[in-house]
Amino acid sequence: MSAHYQLYRRSTLGLCLAGALDELVQAGSISPQLAVKVLLQFDKSVSEMLPANTSHKATFKGRLWVYNNVDDVWLFTVKDVSIKFDNKETVKADKIKIVACNGRRAE
């Protein structure tokens, strides 16, 4: 089992990678085991790259609607949200979902 979260597999990049790997497996160009190894490496690389290369922060205000914790992964649904970025830009949304994971899990 991978020590890294698989959250980013649902990102545009992750979905495209999974689709391309599926096509390669279906065409017989790579084995399913190699496809799984590539996805595990993707999980690891994204988990390590984001904290090292991201310095922007945002704060938000809103009404906490729903929260849940399963296997050390928090899911928050917040309504009537105002998000303020460190460049002073503000974005408003009716509802957002936030997934928060323990960043030390992979260590």
Short mmCIF file of all heavy atoms in Angstrom, two decimals, residues 37-80:
data_model
loop_
_atom_site.label_atom_id
_atom_site.label_comp_id
_atom_site.label_asym_id
_atom_site.label_seq_id
_atom_site.Cartn_x
_atom_site.Cartn_y
_atom_site.Cartn_z
N LYS A 37 2.44 1.09 -10.84
CA LYS A 37 3.68 1.69 -10.35
C LYS A 37 3.78 3.16 -10.76
O LYS A 37 4.22 4.00 -9.97
CB LYS A 37 4.90 0.93 -10.89
CG LYS A 37 5.17 -0.36 -10.18
CD LYS A 37 6.44 -1.00 -10.70
CE LYS A 37 6.71 -2.30 -10.01
NZ LYS A 37 7.97 -2.92 -10.47
N VAL A 38 3.35 3.47 -11.99
CA VAL A 38 3.38 4.86 -12.45
C VAL A 38 2.43 5.71 -11.61
O VAL A 38 2.79 6.82 -11.20
CB VAL A 38 3.04 4.95 -13.95
CG1 VAL A 38 2.83 6.39 -14.39
CG2 VAL A 38 4.13 4.29 -14.80
N LEU A 39 1.24 5.21 -11.33
CA LEU A 39 0.29 5.96 -10.51
C LEU A 39 0.81 6.16 -9.09
O LEU A 39 0.64 7.23 -8.49
CB LEU A 39 -1.07 5.27 -10.48
CG LEU A 39 -1.87 5.38 -11.78
CD1 LEU A 39 -3.11 4.49 -11.72
CD2 LEU A 39 -2.25 6.83 -12.06
N LEU A 40 1.46 5.15 -8.53
CA LEU A 40 2.03 5.29 -7.19
C LEU A 40 3.14 6.34 -7.18
O LEU A 40 3.26 7.13 -6.24
CB LEU A 40 2.55 3.95 -6.68
CG LEU A 40 1.48 2.90 -6.37
CD1 LEU A 40 2.13 1.55 -6.03
CD2 LEU A 40 0.56 3.35 -5.25
N GLN A 41 3.95 6.35 -8.25
CA GLN A 41 5.00 7.35 -8.35
C GLN A 41 4.41 8.75 -8.52
O GLN A 41 4.92 9.72 -7.95
CB GLN A 41 5.95 7.05 -9.52
CG GLN A 41 7.10 8.03 -9.65
CD GLN A 41 7.99 8.08 -8.42
OE1 GLN A 41 8.41 7.05 -7.91
NE2 GLN A 41 8.29 9.27 -7.93
N PHE A 42 3.31 8.84 -9.26
CA PHE A 42 2.60 10.12 -9.41
C PHE A 42 2.14 10.63 -8.04
O PHE A 42 2.36 11.80 -7.71
CB PHE A 42 1.41 9.94 -10.35
CG PHE A 42 0.51 11.14 -10.45
CD1 PHE A 42 0.88 12.24 -11.20
CD2 PHE A 42 -0.72 11.16 -9.80
CE1 PHE A 42 0.05 13.35 -11.30
CE2 PHE A 42 -1.55 12.27 -9.89
CZ PHE A 42 -1.16 13.37 -10.65
N ASP A 43 1.53 9.75 -7.25
CA ASP A 43 1.07 10.13 -5.90
C ASP A 43 2.24 10.66 -5.08
O ASP A 43 2.13 11.70 -4.42
CB ASP A 43 0.45 8.93 -5.17
CG ASP A 43 -0.78 8.39 -5.86
OD1 ASP A 43 -1.45 9.14 -6.59
OD2 ASP A 43 -1.08 7.19 -5.66
N LYS A 44 3.35 9.96 -5.10
CA LYS A 44 4.52 10.34 -4.32
C LYS A 44 5.09 11.67 -4.82
O LYS A 44 5.37 12.57 -4.02
CB LYS A 44 5.59 9.25 -4.42
CG LYS A 44 6.84 9.57 -3.64
CD LYS A 44 7.86 8.45 -3.74
CE LYS A 44 9.05 8.81 -2.87
NZ LYS A 44 10.30 8.50 -3.48
N SER A 45 5.23 11.81 -6.13
CA SER A 45 5.84 13.02 -6.69
C SER A 45 5.01 14.26 -6.41
O SER A 45 5.54 15.30 -6.04
CB SER A 45 6.03 12.85 -8.20
OG SER A 45 6.94 11.81 -8.47
N VAL A 46 3.70 14.17 -6.59
CA VAL A 46 2.84 15.33 -6.34
C VAL A 46 2.86 15.68 -4.85
O VAL A 46 2.93 16.86 -4.49
CB VAL A 46 1.40 15.07 -6.83
CG1 VAL A 46 0.46 16.17 -6.40
CG2 VAL A 46 1.38 14.94 -8.34
N SER A 47 2.81 14.67 -3.98
CA SER A 47 2.83 14.92 -2.54
C SER A 47 4.11 15.61 -2.10
O SER A 47 4.10 16.41 -1.16
CB SER A 47 2.68 13.61 -1.78
OG SER A 47 1.43 13.03 -2.04
N GLU A 48 5.22 15.32 -2.75
CA GLU A 48 6.49 15.94 -2.39
C GLU A 48 6.69 17.28 -3.08
O GLU A 48 7.29 18.19 -2.51
CB GLU A 48 7.65 15.00 -2.75
CG GLU A 48 7.68 13.75 -1.91
CD GLU A 48 8.70 12.72 -2.38
OE1 GLU A 48 9.32 12.92 -3.45
OE2 GLU A 48 8.85 11.69 -1.69
N MET A 49 6.19 17.42 -4.31
CA MET A 49 6.41 18.62 -5.10
C MET A 49 5.59 19.81 -4.60
O MET A 49 6.09 20.93 -4.53
CB MET A 49 6.08 18.32 -6.57
CG MET A 49 6.29 19.46 -7.53
SD MET A 49 4.91 20.62 -7.78
CE MET A 49 3.50 19.60 -8.01
N LEU A 50 4.35 19.60 -4.26
CA LEU A 50 3.48 20.72 -3.90
C LEU A 50 3.98 21.52 -2.70
O LEU A 50 4.09 22.75 -2.78
CB LEU A 50 2.05 20.25 -3.69
CG LEU A 50 1.26 20.03 -4.96
CD1 LEU A 50 -0.13 19.51 -4.63
CD2 LEU A 50 1.17 21.27 -5.80
N PRO A 51 4.31 20.90 -1.58
CA PRO A 51 4.78 21.71 -0.44
C PRO A 51 6.10 22.42 -0.74
O PRO A 51 6.34 23.52 -0.25
CB PRO A 51 4.98 20.70 0.69
CG PRO A 51 4.24 19.48 0.27
CD PRO A 51 4.16 19.51 -1.21
N ALA A 52 6.95 21.81 -1.56
CA ALA A 52 8.25 22.39 -1.84
C ALA A 52 8.17 23.56 -2.82
O ALA A 52 9.04 24.42 -2.83
CB ALA A 52 9.19 21.32 -2.40
N ASN A 53 7.13 23.61 -3.65
CA ASN A 53 7.06 24.61 -4.71
C ASN A 53 5.86 25.53 -4.63
O ASN A 53 5.59 26.28 -5.56
CB ASN A 53 7.05 23.91 -6.07
CG ASN A 53 8.35 23.17 -6.33
OD1 ASN A 53 9.41 23.77 -6.33
ND2 ASN A 53 8.27 21.87 -6.50
N THR A 54 5.12 25.47 -3.55
CA THR A 54 3.94 26.31 -3.39
C THR A 54 4.12 27.19 -2.17
O THR A 54 4.35 26.69 -1.08
CB THR A 54 2.67 25.44 -3.22
OG1 THR A 54 2.60 24.54 -4.31
CG2 THR A 54 1.44 26.29 -3.20
N SER A 55 4.00 28.48 -2.37
CA SER A 55 4.17 29.38 -1.23
C SER A 55 2.96 30.29 -1.02
O SER A 55 2.93 31.05 -0.07
CB SER A 55 5.42 30.25 -1.45
OG SER A 55 5.26 31.04 -2.61
N HIS A 56 1.97 30.21 -1.89
CA HIS A 56 0.79 31.07 -1.75
C HIS A 56 -0.15 30.53 -0.68
O HIS A 56 -0.26 29.33 -0.46
CB HIS A 56 0.07 31.19 -3.09
CG HIS A 56 0.89 31.85 -4.14
ND1 HIS A 56 1.18 33.18 -4.13
CD2 HIS A 56 1.53 31.34 -5.22
CE1 HIS A 56 1.94 33.48 -5.15
NE2 HIS A 56 2.17 32.37 -5.84
N LYS A 57 -0.83 31.46 -0.04
CA LYS A 57 -1.77 31.10 1.01
C LYS A 57 -3.09 31.80 0.76
O LYS A 57 -3.15 32.81 0.07
CB LYS A 57 -1.22 31.49 2.37
CG LYS A 57 0.05 30.77 2.71
CD LYS A 57 0.51 31.10 4.10
CE LYS A 57 1.89 30.54 4.24
NZ LYS A 57 2.19 29.70 5.22
N ALA A 58 -4.12 31.24 1.34
CA ALA A 58 -5.44 31.85 1.25
C ALA A 58 -6.14 31.68 2.59
O ALA A 58 -5.88 30.73 3.33
CB ALA A 58 -6.26 31.18 0.15
N THR A 59 -7.01 32.61 2.91
CA THR A 59 -7.85 32.49 4.09
C THR A 59 -9.30 32.52 3.61
O THR A 59 -9.60 33.08 2.56
CB THR A 59 -7.61 33.64 5.09
OG1 THR A 59 -7.85 34.88 4.43
CG2 THR A 59 -6.19 33.60 5.63
N PHE A 60 -10.16 31.90 4.37
CA PHE A 60 -11.56 31.90 3.96
C PHE A 60 -12.46 32.04 5.18
O PHE A 60 -12.10 31.68 6.29
CB PHE A 60 -11.91 30.65 3.16
CG PHE A 60 -11.75 29.36 3.90
CD1 PHE A 60 -12.83 28.81 4.59
CD2 PHE A 60 -10.55 28.69 3.92
CE1 PHE A 60 -12.69 27.63 5.28
CE2 PHE A 60 -10.40 27.50 4.61
CZ PHE A 60 -11.48 26.97 5.30
N LYS A 61 -13.62 32.60 4.91
CA LYS A 61 -14.67 32.73 5.91
C LYS A 61 -15.95 32.18 5.31
O LYS A 61 -16.20 32.34 4.11
CB LYS A 61 -14.91 34.20 6.27
CG LYS A 61 -13.88 34.81 7.16
CD LYS A 61 -14.32 36.22 7.50
CE LYS A 61 -13.34 36.90 8.42
NZ LYS A 61 -13.79 38.25 8.78
N GLY A 62 -16.73 31.54 6.12
CA GLY A 62 -17.99 31.01 5.65
C GLY A 62 -18.69 30.27 6.77
O GLY A 62 -18.26 30.31 7.93
N ARG A 63 -19.78 29.60 6.42
CA ARG A 63 -20.54 28.83 7.40
C ARG A 63 -20.22 27.36 7.21
O ARG A 63 -20.46 26.80 6.14
CB ARG A 63 -22.04 29.06 7.20
CG ARG A 63 -22.49 30.46 7.54
CD ARG A 63 -23.99 30.64 7.45
NE ARG A 63 -24.52 30.27 6.13
CZ ARG A 63 -25.47 29.35 5.93
NH1 ARG A 63 -26.01 28.72 6.94
NH2 ARG A 63 -25.88 29.08 4.71
N LEU A 64 -19.66 26.74 8.24
CA LEU A 64 -19.38 25.31 8.17
C LEU A 64 -20.69 24.56 8.11
O LEU A 64 -21.54 24.68 8.99
CB LEU A 64 -18.57 24.88 9.39
CG LEU A 64 -18.17 23.40 9.45
CD1 LEU A 64 -17.31 23.02 8.25
CD2 LEU A 64 -17.44 23.11 10.74
N TRP A 65 -20.89 23.80 7.07
CA TRP A 65 -22.16 23.11 6.84
C TRP A 65 -22.06 21.64 7.27
O TRP A 65 -22.89 21.14 8.00
CB TRP A 65 -22.54 23.23 5.37
CG TRP A 65 -23.90 22.74 5.06
CD1 TRP A 65 -24.22 21.59 4.39
CD2 TRP A 65 -25.14 23.35 5.41
NE1 TRP A 65 -25.57 21.46 4.29
CE2 TRP A 65 -26.18 22.54 4.92
CE3 TRP A 65 -25.48 24.51 6.09
CZ2 TRP A 65 -27.51 22.84 5.07
CZ3 TRP A 65 -26.81 24.81 6.24
CH2 TRP A 65 -27.81 23.99 5.74
N VAL A 66 -21.01 20.96 6.81
CA VAL A 66 -20.82 19.54 7.12
C VAL A 66 -19.33 19.30 7.32
O VAL A 66 -18.50 19.90 6.64
CB VAL A 66 -21.31 18.64 5.94
CG1 VAL A 66 -21.02 17.18 6.21
CG2 VAL A 66 -22.78 18.85 5.67
N TYR A 67 -19.00 18.43 8.26
CA TYR A 67 -17.61 18.00 8.40
C TYR A 67 -17.58 16.52 8.74
O TYR A 67 -18.53 15.98 9.29
CB TYR A 67 -16.84 18.83 9.44
CG TYR A 67 -17.35 18.70 10.85
CD1 TYR A 67 -16.78 17.79 11.73
CD2 TYR A 67 -18.41 19.48 11.30
CE1 TYR A 67 -17.24 17.67 13.03
CE2 TYR A 67 -18.88 19.38 12.60
CZ TYR A 67 -18.29 18.47 13.45
OH TYR A 67 -18.74 18.35 14.74
N ASN A 68 -16.49 15.87 8.37
CA ASN A 68 -16.36 14.43 8.59
C ASN A 68 -14.87 14.07 8.64
O ASN A 68 -14.06 14.69 7.94
CB ASN A 68 -17.05 13.67 7.46
CG ASN A 68 -17.28 12.21 7.80
OD1 ASN A 68 -17.00 11.76 8.89
ND2 ASN A 68 -17.80 11.48 6.83
N ASN A 69 -14.52 13.08 9.43
CA ASN A 69 -13.15 12.59 9.50
C ASN A 69 -13.18 11.08 9.34
O ASN A 69 -13.77 10.38 10.15
CB ASN A 69 -12.51 12.97 10.83
CG ASN A 69 -11.07 12.53 10.93
OD1 ASN A 69 -10.60 11.65 10.24
ND2 ASN A 69 -10.34 13.16 11.82
N VAL A 70 -12.50 10.60 8.29
CA VAL A 70 -12.40 9.17 8.06
C VAL A 70 -10.94 8.86 7.74
O VAL A 70 -10.36 9.47 6.83
CB VAL A 70 -13.30 8.71 6.89
CG1 VAL A 70 -13.12 7.23 6.61
CG2 VAL A 70 -14.77 9.01 7.19
N ASP A 71 -10.35 7.95 8.46
CA ASP A 71 -8.96 7.53 8.24
C ASP A 71 -8.00 8.72 8.17
O ASP A 71 -7.15 8.81 7.30
CB ASP A 71 -8.84 6.70 6.95
CG ASP A 71 -9.55 5.37 7.06
OD1 ASP A 71 -9.69 4.87 8.20
OD2 ASP A 71 -9.98 4.83 6.02
N ASP A 72 -8.16 9.65 9.10
CA ASP A 72 -7.28 10.81 9.21
C ASP A 72 -7.38 11.76 8.01
O ASP A 72 -6.48 12.52 7.73
CB ASP A 72 -5.83 10.37 9.41
CG ASP A 72 -5.06 11.34 10.30
OD1 ASP A 72 -5.69 12.14 11.00
OD2 ASP A 72 -3.82 11.29 10.27
N VAL A 73 -8.50 11.70 7.29
CA VAL A 73 -8.77 12.62 6.19
C VAL A 73 -10.04 13.39 6.55
O VAL A 73 -11.10 12.80 6.77
CB VAL A 73 -8.97 11.89 4.85
CG1 VAL A 73 -9.34 12.87 3.75
CG2 VAL A 73 -7.72 11.11 4.46
N TRP A 74 -9.92 14.71 6.64
CA TRP A 74 -11.06 15.56 6.97
C TRP A 74 -11.71 16.06 5.69
O TRP A 74 -11.03 16.44 4.75
CB TRP A 74 -10.61 16.76 7.79
CG TRP A 74 -10.33 16.44 9.22
CD1 TRP A 74 -9.13 16.09 9.78
CD2 TRP A 74 -11.29 16.43 10.29
NE1 TRP A 74 -9.28 15.86 11.12
CE2 TRP A 74 -10.60 16.06 11.45
CE3 TRP A 74 -12.65 16.68 10.36
CZ2 TRP A 74 -11.23 15.96 12.68
CZ3 TRP A 74 -13.29 16.58 11.59
CH2 TRP A 74 -12.57 16.23 12.73
N LEU A 75 -13.03 16.09 5.68
CA LEU A 75 -13.81 16.67 4.59
C LEU A 75 -14.72 17.73 5.20
O LEU A 75 -15.50 17.44 6.11
CB LEU A 75 -14.64 15.62 3.87
CG LEU A 75 -15.58 16.13 2.79
CD1 LEU A 75 -14.79 16.76 1.65
CD2 LEU A 75 -16.44 15.00 2.25
N PHE A 76 -14.58 18.97 4.72
CA PHE A 76 -15.40 20.08 5.19
C PHE A 76 -16.21 20.61 4.02
O PHE A 76 -15.68 20.78 2.92
CB PHE A 76 -14.53 21.24 5.71
CG PHE A 76 -13.63 20.87 6.84
CD1 PHE A 76 -12.32 20.48 6.61
CD2 PHE A 76 -14.09 20.93 8.14
CE1 PHE A 76 -11.48 20.15 7.66
CE2 PHE A 76 -13.25 20.60 9.21
CZ PHE A 76 -11.95 20.21 8.96
N THR A 77 -17.47 20.88 4.24
CA THR A 77 -18.30 21.60 3.27
C THR A 77 -18.66 22.92 3.91
O THR A 77 -19.22 22.97 5.01
CB THR A 77 -19.58 20.81 2.92
OG1 THR A 77 -19.20 19.53 2.41
CG2 THR A 77 -20.39 21.54 1.87
N VAL A 78 -18.30 24.00 3.23
CA VAL A 78 -18.50 25.35 3.75
C VAL A 78 -19.39 26.11 2.78
O VAL A 78 -19.19 26.07 1.57
CB VAL A 78 -17.14 26.08 3.92
CG1 VAL A 78 -17.33 27.44 4.56
CG2 VAL A 78 -16.17 25.24 4.74
N LYS A 79 -20.39 26.81 3.31
CA LYS A 79 -21.32 27.59 2.48
C LYS A 79 -21.09 29.08 2.67
O LYS A 79 -20.53 29.51 3.68
CB LYS A 79 -22.76 27.24 2.84
CG LYS A 79 -23.17 25.85 2.39
CD LYS A 79 -24.66 25.67 2.52
CE LYS A 79 -25.07 24.37 1.84
NZ LYS A 79 -26.52 24.24 1.80
N ASP A 80 -21.53 29.85 1.67
CA ASP A 80 -21.41 31.32 1.69
C ASP A 80 -19.98 31.74 2.00
O ASP A 80 -19.70 32.41 2.99
CB ASP A 80 -22.39 31.95 2.70
CG ASP A 80 -23.83 31.56 2.41
OD1 ASP A 80 -24.19 31.47 1.22
OD2 ASP A 80 -24.59 31.33 3.37
#
